[in-house]
Amino acid sequence: MDLLEQILSNKNMNEAYRRVYRNKGASGIDGITVDELKEYLKEHKDELRQRIRTRKYQPQAALRVEIPKENGKMRKLGIPTVVDRVVQQAIHQVLSPVFEKQFSDFSYGFRPKRSCEMAIIQSLEFLNDGYDWVVDIDLERFFDTVNHDKLMRIIANTIDDGDVISLIRKYLVSGVMVNGSYEETPVGTPQGGNLSPLLSNILLNELDKELEKRELRFVRYADDALIFVKSGKAADRVMKTIVRFIEGKLGLIVNAEKSRIARPKDLRFLGFGYYYDSRHKRYQVRPHPVSVQKFQRKLRHLTKRNWSIPLDYRIVKLKQVIVGWVNYFRIANMKIKGNCGS
């Protein structure tokens, strides 16, 4: 069975529908909800498949929404229609195992059986092996700046199926609706689509391969990358050459203000801060002060007296937030107070 038929198979499409339904989420520009999706697919699935096979299928524009980031700026998300989410998920399910075989052991984001916790544990291993100068690379607006041609060339090196390549490109250029008017998307992969995390890993795997070729120690989680070396001089050299590679070969933009050479105590990675434990003579992690403040803000919001909601609901929400926090930071030392950067 060729790749497109694997994507369109009953089994794969049904699984994609179940995933999209489980994740719920808002409607796209056509207003069809996840609850109406089953009925819609029952009626239109054969026609949908036929249009995809004959390359007549045209994904709808994603609905642009903006959500506030911690720094006060806005993160742009694109909400595809529920039907497009199913098709994207179906593509993801078939392509993910193909590319997984190529991905680095040191990349942890958006991958099966991998987690933030594993990335943190690996970073501590490198630090405690003496690689305690860190090149902290920050990619500027990564999802908005991906070069489509570069990405499609990399995909085409592995995927020898013109129909699948054509379908992925259609999703990249399907545009967004902003306040009722259509905008083209000549670059970028829309954050919010089911395919975006896989596409970002496919592109950034080129960076992983380059780092491995140079025998550098690194940890990458999505577009956050830390490179570990033994001296300030090595860190300077790596920073210069890797920035050149990222901008020249991958066509991405490195944020010069946020990218830096850091010592462990100055790091913030995936919500964790690092410190040297002199009793055990090794680096450890704890929740970064910024993460602690964020947690405290959530708790204050949930315990506001003037918030007129039933007590039962408030308790459930509080429990969810506290259990989520404790589980996420379970590998950290929670007892130590004070600033990780001190």
Side-chain angles (χ1 to χ4, degrees), residues 271-330:
F272 289 81
Y274 297 74
Y275 70 97
Y276 188 74
D277 179 346
S278 46
R279 194 154 68 94
H280 296 99
K281 297 195 168 31
R282 59 189 291 107
Y283 287 104
Q284 309 262 32
V285 285
R286 58 187 162 203
H288 192 277
V290 171
S291 305
V292 174
Q293 285 159 15
K294 205 169 147 192
F295 179 53
Q296 288 167 338
R297 274 200 305 274
K298 267 187 192 167
L299 293 182
R300 274 199 296 274
H301 174 71
L302 289 170
T303 51
K304 269 195 312 198
R305 284 191 178 170
N306 61 356
W307 195 27
S308 53
I309 55 153
L311 184 62
D312 292 357
Y313 177 78
R314 195 189 293 249
I315 289 167
V316 166
K317 282 283 160 204
L318 269 168
K319 194 176 172 188
Q320 280 173 352
V321 167
I322 293 165
V323 169
W325 162 271
V326 170
N327 281 342
Y328 185 79
F329 287 106
R330 66 187 171 180

Side-chain angles (χ1 to χ4, degrees), residues 118-173:
M118 291 163 79
I120 294 295
I121 290 167
Q122 182 61 70
S123 70
L124 282 171
E125 260 180 51
F126 289 146
L127 292 174
N128 288 315
D129 282 345
Y131 297 85
D132 58 358
W133 285 82
V134 186
V135 179
D136 183 356
I137 301 279
D138 187 274
L139 296 175
E140 192 163 323
R141 298 180 297 106
F142 168 72
F143 286 94
D144 299 335
T145 55
V146 170
N147 179 302
H148 292 170
D149 290 339
K150 279 197 166 76
L151 174 60
M152 294 316 298
R153 268 200 303 276
I154 294 164
I155 293 172
N157 288 338
T158 299
I159 301 298
D160 183 22
D161 187 317
D163 292 329
V164 175
I165 297 283
S166 162
L167 187 56
I168 293 170
R169 191 180 270 279
K170 279 180 178 175
Y171 275 110
L172 291 175
V173 298

Side-chain angles (χ1 to χ4, degrees), residues 36-51:
E36 295 163 338
L37 180 57
K38 192 175 191 176
E39 210 47 53
Y40 179 91
L41 288 175
K42 213 179 267 182
E43 208 174 310
H44 298 282
K45 70 169 190 280
D46 292 336
E47 175 203 338
L48 174 67
R49 281 195 180 110
Q50 201 44 37
R51 277 167 52 220

Side-chain angles (χ1 to χ4, degrees), residues 7 63 87 94 98 102 132 135 144 153 205 210 251:
I7 289 167
L63 180 64
V87 178
V94 170
V98 174
Q102 302 176 10
D132 58 358
V135 179
D144 299 335
R153 268 200 303 276
N205 188 47
E210 180 67 16

Side-chain angles (χ1 to χ4, degrees), residues 63-69 72-79 144 176-179 183 191:
L63 180 64
R64 166 63 49 83
V65 294
E66 295 190 347
I67 56 168
K69 285 162 61 168
K73 292 180 179 173
M74 303 300 278
R75 173 177 281 121
K76 294 174 177 179
L77 292 183
I79 303 174
D144 299 335
V176 287
M177 288 295 278
V178 185
N179 299 324
E183 286 183 14
Q191 243 181 308

Side-chain angles (χ1 to χ4, degrees), residues 7-143:
I7 289 167
L8 298 177
S9 72
N10 265 329
K11 188 182 175 200
N12 191 52
M13 291 291 277
N14 288 340
E15 175 58 24
Y17 159 74
R18 280 194 292 273
R19 295 254 178 116
V20 169
Y21 183 78
R22 256 201 320 268
N23 291 339
K24 301 297 182 192
S27 307
I29 60 169
D30 61 1
I32 297 175
T33 66
V34 282
D35 292 321
E36 295 163 338
L37 180 57
K38 192 175 191 176
E39 210 47 53
Y40 179 91
L41 288 175
K42 213 179 267 182
E43 208 174 310
H44 298 282
K45 70 169 190 280
D46 292 336
E47 175 203 338
L48 174 67
R49 281 195 180 110
Q50 201 44 37
R51 277 167 52 220
I52 291 172
R53 281 190 188 107
T54 53
R55 298 199 188 185
K56 287 182 181 148
Y57 181 69
Q58 196 52 54
Q60 296 195 64
L63 180 64
R64 166 63 49 83
V65 294
E66 295 190 347
I67 56 168
K69 285 162 61 168
E70 279 172 49
N71 59 10
K73 292 180 179 173
M74 303 300 278
R75 173 177 281 121
K76 294 174 177 179
L77 292 183
I79 303 174
T81 65
V82 287
V83 175
D84 280 326
R85 295 213 287 271
V86 170
V87 178
Q88 284 194 37
Q89 182 60 36
I91 299 168
H92 184 288
Q93 286 165 190
V94 170
L95 294 197
S96 181
V98 174
F99 284 98
E100 264 301 311
K101 295 177 196 142
Q102 302 176 10
F103 289 163
S104 166
D105 285 344
F106 303 102
S107 126
Y108 296 90
F110 308 130
R111 292 182 60 193
K113 300 189 179 119
R114 291 183 158 251
S115 63
C116 294
E117 188 174 301
M118 291 163 79
I120 294 295
I121 290 167
Q122 182 61 70
S123 70
L124 282 171
E125 260 180 51
F126 289 146
L127 292 174
N128 288 315
D129 282 345
Y131 297 85
D132 58 358
W133 285 82
V134 186
V135 179
D136 183 356
I137 301 279
D138 187 274
L139 296 175
E140 192 163 323
R141 298 180 297 106
F142 168 72
F143 286 94

